[in-house]
């Protein structure tokens, strides 16, 4: 227990770092995932191609390689930002590809007659998608979106290797101070467990409130 009590501020700083990464990257992933899912089902061919390329490239690229590409590649184009921002971009873009496919699968569960009826009433594609299709699709994708964001929270551990303050990285400091590596990782695991259980509880509440009755 002294590993935690003696280094509570170190653990707290790492925990808050992981929490911030998770929240900001989740918001970015949800936004980009929604945009790309809209592109994937859009009637414009160029948008469908762009969405397909985005998903195919990111889903088949190792996250560590994407971190290297963002942290080392973007500064070459004059974009210099804090490492935390680069980490959010890498995590958010990577996860958006999976969110996109989850949303697209949800959209495909909505009967095509719904969209046809909306278009028959004179609605545009954007109106049909936002007012008719997505509200119905949202109810069926709550659990898989939650699972994807839980995976994002665990993937944030990679950011520690790129000078970003996060929970897993605390083991380096504590190891140098001579603390037991086993108990160091036990409390790190507890921190991740708190975050993932919080996400799970939130999406369980959303599922009970808005989910499809089974």
């Amino acid at each position: 227990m002294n590993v935690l009590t003696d280094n509570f501020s170190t653990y707290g700083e790492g925990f808050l770092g992981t929490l911030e990464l998770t929240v900001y990257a989740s918001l970015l992933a949800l936004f980009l995932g929604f945009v790309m899912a809209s592109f994937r089902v859009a009637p414009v061919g160029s948008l469908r191609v762009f969405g397909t390329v985005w998903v195919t490239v990111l889903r088949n690229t190792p996250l560590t390689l994407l971190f290297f590409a963002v942290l080392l590649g973007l500064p070459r184009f004059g974009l210099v930002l804090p490492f935390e921002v680069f980490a959010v971009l890498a995590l958010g873009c990577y996860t958006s590809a999976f969110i996109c496919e989850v949303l697209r699968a949800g959209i495909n569960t909505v009967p095509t007659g719904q969209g046809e009826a909306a278009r028959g009433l004179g609605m545009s594609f954007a109106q049909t998608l936002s007012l008719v299709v997505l509200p119905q699709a949202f109810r069926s994708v709550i659990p898989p979106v939650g699972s994807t964001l839980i995976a994002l929270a665990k993937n944030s551990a990679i950011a520690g290797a790129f000078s970003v303050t996060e929970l897993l990285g605390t083991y380096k400091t504590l190891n140098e101070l001579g603390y037991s590596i086993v108990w160091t990782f036990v409390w790190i695991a507890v921190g991740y467990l708190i975050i993932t259980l919080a996400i799970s509880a939130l999406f369980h509440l959303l599922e009970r409130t808005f989910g499809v009755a089974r």
Side-chain angles (χ1 to χ4, degrees), residues 164-186:
V164 177
T165 301
E166 52 79 44
L167 190 55
L168 183 62
T170 58
Y171 89 89
K172 299 176 184 177
T173 302
L174 300 185
N175 188 45
E176 291 173 357
L177 294 174
Y179 286 96
S180 169
I181 194 68
V182 174
W183 284 105
T184 297
F185 278 112
V186 165

Side-chain angles (χ1 to χ4, degrees), residues 27-71:
L27 293 175
L28 179 61
L30 289 170
F31 172 74
L32 290 177
F34 166 76
V35 172
M36 293 304 152
S38 301
F39 284 2
R40 294 294 307 270
V41 298
V44 181
S46 58
L47 294 180
R48 291 199 303 273
V49 170
F50 183 85
T52 300
V53 171
W54 178 276
V55 170
T56 301
V57 170
L58 291 177
R59 288 185 70 186
N60 293 284
T61 300
L63 181 54
T64 305
L65 180 59
L66 185 60
F67 264 89
F68 276 113
V70 171
L71 270 81

Side-chain angles (χ1 to χ4, degrees), residues 93-110:
C93 290
Y94 178 78
T95 309
S96 71
F98 297 90
I99 295 289
C100 170
E101 289 302 274
V102 168
L103 292 177
R104 189 170 71 94
I107 290 172
N108 288 338
T109 65
V110 179

